[in-house]
């Protein structure tokens, strides 16, 4: 092969040029792993001239025993597979992966700069450690929250029972002596105590949901909705609602939490119904890949777009207590349950009026179960779509 000045290039010269152009650094060692030749910008990369340097002086301490065992095996004429070791550049923040292959009279080492990869791995490791610490702190915080909720529930419940009991005694024993204003005051006190009792129960239920992650078990959404409709049977019958449950697949999650989610969504549709209109609620689901989107559509009063984020915040109410009961926790609980299952919940306008609440869940690997048919006495019914 002719060079630029017309002279012929030897095979050794050609090999040297190719090695200099190669992305990997190469070196040849003798039987004692002393470097006898190097190719590529060795000194600039590794930080030391290769001549007379022993490879085991460059390798990190953790890899030296393996390197010595390799040297003894190769020196003794024993066959040996290539080994991987690590070299850190002298005085430089560079790390190299080294593959050592035995050749006659020594070994060939190829070095690849993996500094960026190692730094990325280190950064990811640090992030994972930090996330683990945060998760541990959140778990402890949730456990403390649950303990606090139980203590608060028990400690606050007793005084509330006393208030309602003594209000009832006043009415029973002194009712004839009390004027209408006193009776009104006692009614206010009793109503306030009962609402506080409901609020405590709701907070306790929310704290339980917030502190329990959903295990990965197979849950049949058809069964979950059947139970939810059964639980709401009295409310459905009272307003003559028509509840339709379509074919629903299986998902992965916590059955008790998903049942609470279903009860809250269907109950929300029953509560916010349009005056003078038969409530119609349709529960459907669509699967796309590993995701199941559960939808609960109604023909109720609907929700203005500006309020669609607010309704999922705890204690945020769009209507006064005189219009609708409740403490504003139900949809916040739905949001928390969806998040614990790796999903989300949102609301849209329903065609023709009303709202559609949608929840994303993780599909189960097993085939979806057959659709459930739920029969509720009276005007309430749920049929297969």
């Amino acid at each position: 092969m002719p060079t630029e000045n017309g002279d012929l290039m030897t095979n050794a010269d050609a090999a040297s040029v190719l090695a200099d152009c190669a992305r990997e650094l190469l070196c040849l060692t003798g039987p004692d792993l002393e470097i006898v030749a190097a190719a590529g910008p060795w000194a600039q990369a590794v930080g030391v001239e290769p001549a007379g340097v022993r490879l085991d002086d460059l390798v990190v301490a953790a890899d030296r025993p393996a390197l010595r065992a390799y040297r003894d095996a190769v020196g003794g004429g024993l066959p040996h597979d290539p080994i991987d070791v690590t070299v850190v550049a002298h005085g430089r923040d560079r790390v190299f992966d080294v593959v050592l292959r035995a050749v006659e009279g020594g070994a060939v080492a190829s070095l690849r700069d993996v500094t960026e990869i190692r730094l990325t791995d280190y950064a990811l490791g640090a992030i994972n450690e930090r996330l683990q610490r945060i998760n541990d702190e959140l778990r402890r915080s949730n456990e403390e929250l649950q303990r606090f909720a139980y203590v608060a529930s028990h400690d606050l419940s007793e005084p509330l029972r006393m208030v309602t009991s003594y209000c009832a005694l006043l009415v029973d024993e002194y009712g004839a002596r009390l004027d209408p204003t006193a009776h009104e005051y006692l009614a206010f006190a009793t109503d306030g105590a009962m609402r506080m009792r409901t609020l405590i129960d709701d907070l306790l239920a929310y704290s339980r949901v917030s502190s329990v992650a959903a295990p990965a078990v197979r849950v049949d959404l058809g069964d979950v909705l059947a139970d939810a409709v059964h639980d709401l049977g009295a409310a459905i019958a009272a307003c003559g609602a028509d509840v339709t449950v379509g074919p629903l697949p299986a998902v992965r999650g916590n059955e008790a939490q998903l049942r609470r989610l279903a009860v809250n969504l269907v109950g929300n549709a029953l509560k916010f119904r349009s005056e003078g209109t038969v409530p119609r609620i349709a529960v459907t689901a669509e699967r796309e890949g590993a995701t199941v989107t559960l939808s609960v559509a109604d023909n109720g009063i609907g929700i203005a777009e500006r309020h669609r984020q607010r309704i999922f915040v705890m204690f945020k109410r769009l209507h006064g207590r005189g219009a609708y009961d409740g403490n504003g926790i139900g949809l916040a609980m739905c949001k928390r349950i969806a998040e614990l299952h790796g999903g989300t919940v949102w609301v849209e306008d329903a065609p023709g009026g009303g709202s559609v609440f949608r929840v994303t869940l993780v599909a189960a690997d097993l085939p979806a179960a057959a659709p459930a048919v739920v029969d509720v006495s009276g005007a309430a019914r749920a049929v297969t779509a």
Side-chain angles (χ1 to χ4, degrees):
M1 179 183 299
T3 63
E4 292 182 358
N5 57 14
D7 296 333
L8 291 178
M9 179 182 293
T10 65
N11 289 339
D13 293 333
S16 177
V17 171
L18 290 174
D20 287 340
C21 295
R23 297 179 63 185
E24 295 182 346
L25 302 174
L26 301 173
C27 72
L28 178 65
T29 75
D32 59 352
L33 298 183
E34 180 180 346
I35 299 174
V36 296
W42 176 279
Q44 296 90 328
V46 181
V48 62
E49 292 293 339
V53 174
R54 294 172 59 87
L55 192 59
D56 48 359
D57 291 333
L58 301 176
V59 171
V60 295
D63 288 342
R64 287 173 188 166
L67 188 63
R68 294 191 185 102
Y70 176 85
R71 177 195 60 195
D72 295 341
V74 172
L78 300 175
H80 204 293
D81 293 332
I83 64 168
D84 296 316
V85 292
T86 301
V87 165
V88 177
H90 279 211
R92 304 187 183 188
D93 297 329
R94 311 304 299 173
V95 181
F96 299 87
D97 272 353
V98 182
V99 178
L100 201 62
R101 299 176 178 85
V103 297
E104 185 177 353
V108 172
S110 60
L111 287 72
R112 184 168 63 96
D113 192 331
V114 294
T115 306
E116 298 301 327
I117 297 175
R118 294 294 177 87
L119 289 176
T120 301
D121 290 344
Y122 176 81
L124 289 175
I127 292 172
N128 286 335
E129 289 180 3
R130 183 181 178 189
L131 289 175
Q132 185 61 49
R133 290 196 298 270
I134 293 174
N135 285 336
D136 291 341
E137 292 173 2
L138 287 175
R139 184 163 48 252
R140 288 193 294 270
S141 177
N142 282 333
E143 291 173 354
E144 292 174 0
L145 173 62
Q146 189 175 25
R147 286 194 294 269
F148 169 79
Y150 277 117
V151 171
S153 174
H154 295 144
D155 289 352
L156 291 175
S157 295
E158 185 58 32
L160 288 174
R161 279 193 292 269
M162 290 182 63
V163 170
T164 54
S165 297
Y166 279 106
C167 285
L169 285 173
L170 283 173
V171 172
D172 291 341
E173 297 185 14
Y174 301 95
R177 308 180 194 178
L178 300 176
D179 60 21
T181 301
H183 279 284
E184 183 180 12
Y185 290 165
L186 285 172
F188 286 153
T190 302
D191 179 66
M194 293 178 64
R195 284 194 288 112
M196 179 62 76
R197 174 71 254 180
T198 303
L199 180 60
I200 290 172
D201 290 341
D202 289 344
L203 284 172
L204 183 58
Y206 183 84
S207 72
R208 286 171 175 167
V209 169
S210 297
S211 58
V212 181
V217 299
R218 185 181 185 276
V219 178
D220 190 327
L221 280 182
D223 292 342
V224 168
L225 263 297
D227 291 340
V229 171
H230 181 270
D231 292 346
L232 295 168
I236 294 173
C239 62
D242 184 1
V243 182
T244 302
V245 180
L248 303 178
V251 297
R252 303 196 71 80
N254 180 287
E255 184 172 1
Q257 291 180 7
L258 291 175
R259 179 173 175 174
R260 184 178 293 276
L261 172 78
V263 168
N264 284 342
L265 290 179
V266 176
N268 190 75
L270 292 170
K271 180 191 298 185
F272 297 101
R273 58 186 180 271
S274 297
E275 190 69 26
T277 302
V278 175
R280 300 188 183 278
I281 302 168
V283 183
T284 58
E286 293 183 1
R287 176 168 180 172
E288 184 176 352
T291 301
V292 170
T293 301
L294 177 70
S295 301
V296 179
D298 63 59
N299 62 341
I301 62 175
I303 300 170
E305 187 172 356
R306 66 180 182 276
H307 296 313
R308 291 179 185 174
Q309 294 299 321
R310 180 184 175 191
I311 60 174
F312 295 105
V313 179
M314 194 160 56
F315 301 129
K316 294 295 184 180
R317 297 171 53 90
L318 304 184
H319 310 276
R321 293 187 183 278
Y324 300 98
D325 60 0
N327 294 308
I329 291 180
L331 290 178
M333 191 176 299
C334 291
K335 180 175 183 292
R336 181 57 179 155
I337 292 172
E339 291 172 346
L340 285 172
H341 285 73
T344 186
V345 60
W346 70 97
V347 63
E348 303 172 353
D349 286 331
S355 304
V356 182
F357 283 84
R358 304 192 192 278
V359 184
T360 56
L361 301 167
V362 178
D365 295 331
L366 299 177
V373 178
V374 184
D375 185 16
V376 181
S377 59
R381 60 192 180 277
V383 298
T384 302

